[in-house]
Amino acid sequence: MQSCLDSGNYGLALHTSSPQLGLALSNFAGDTRSSTWDLGRDLSTHLHQQLAEFLKPQVWGDLAFIAVAKGPGSFTGTRIGVVTARTLAQQLDIPLFAISTLAAVALSYSGGTPPHPQSLDGGEQKVIALQMPAQRGQLFTGIYQASPDGSALTQLLPDSVMTPNIWQQALEALEMPYHRLDTPADLGTSTMSVLELAYLDWQQGKHSHWSEALPFYGQHPVDSN
């Protein structure tokens, strides 16, 4: 099991599942940075330029792994991010971790790295029920339980698409206290949580191959733009 990165190696995260591009970089040994850009429809044309500038002064060879937000979210944006991350990981021959958009938001709100401005209080295990608008009046949903210190997540209900009525039934079946949260429109703010979740997998020795990184659209692409 590999517990940490070498100080000269970094993890890179990309988040393109909303009009806000998010990038994060860390060696988890004191050198960490993240940035967001509200690019809207210009995401596809500016992603590679922003990525190249953001990486400096590090170089591609400094990367030990890449993480990418796999959705749910914007179909086009998610596809661009996943394709870019897969290409980079393949060329660099390094692991690629596809991280749930909902899981990243849950970690942000539970007091992960960095804490969300509306992070949840208390030291108990936090059950976080997330919902995001989908097409045709449905919701993207997922339920996660955060550790007391907000550093790790357990998935209680896989990310899926539900009608509001079915979602309410799922919440009532929990039989435990939970926090019900709407995901923010600007998902790029949780990019550091994407990187943190990937690093947790890295620490456990899970070195995912780039070919295993697949987007989660939830609905047919025609209905998910």
Side-chain angles (χ1 to χ4, degrees), residues 151-169:
S151 65
L153 290 177
T154 300
Q155 187 181 66
L156 300 184
L157 181 70
D159 295 355
S160 57
V161 180
M162 299 182 180
T163 64
N165 287 339
I166 297 297
W167 175 228
Q168 184 60 41
Q169 293 175 23

Side-chain angles (χ1 to χ4, degrees), residues 1-173:
M1 180 180 295
Q2 185 160 348
S3 60
C4 61
L5 298 174
D6 295 331
S7 60
N9 291 333
Y10 289 75
L12 170 70
L14 297 78
H15 203 320
T16 63
S17 292
S18 75
Q20 184 183 65
L21 168 64
L23 298 175
L25 185 76
S26 181
N27 65 357
F28 298 92
D31 189 4
T32 298
R33 62 183 183 271
S34 62
S35 295
T36 59
W37 297 264
D38 295 319
L39 297 181
R41 294 182 178 276
D42 294 327
L43 174 65
S44 60
T45 57
H46 291 283
L47 171 59
H48 295 282
Q49 177 184 348
Q50 296 290 1
L51 184 54
E53 291 296 323
F54 176 79
L55 186 64
K56 297 176 182 178
Q58 279 68 50
V59 297
W60 296 113
D62 293 329
L63 299 182
F65 70 85
I66 296 174
V68 64
K70 67 176 182 179
S74 161
F75 165 71
T76 301
T78 299
R79 176 176 54 80
I80 291 171
V82 171
V83 169
T84 299
R86 282 168 59 101
T87 301
L88 289 172
Q90 181 182 20
Q91 292 178 345
L92 297 171
D93 193 24
I94 57 177
L96 172 59
F97 300 94
I99 303 298
S100 161
T101 298
L102 298 182
V105 173
L107 186 67
S108 297
Y109 272 88
S110 67
T113 307
H116 192 278
Q118 300 179 30
S119 58
L120 307 176
D121 297 324
E124 301 296 327
Q125 294 275 341
K126 312 176 187 81
V127 176
I128 305 169
L130 295 118
Q131 59 188 43
M132 177 191 297
Q135 296 295 317
R136 303 191 302 274
Q138 295 182 311
L139 297 169
F140 293 116
T141 61
I143 301 178
Y144 293 85
Q145 186 172 46
S147 61
D149 63 358
S151 65
L153 290 177
T154 300
Q155 187 181 66
L156 300 184
L157 181 70
D159 295 355
S160 57
V161 180
M162 299 182 180
T163 64
N165 287 339
I166 297 297
W167 175 228
Q168 184 60 41
Q169 293 175 23
L171 294 176
E172 292 172 356

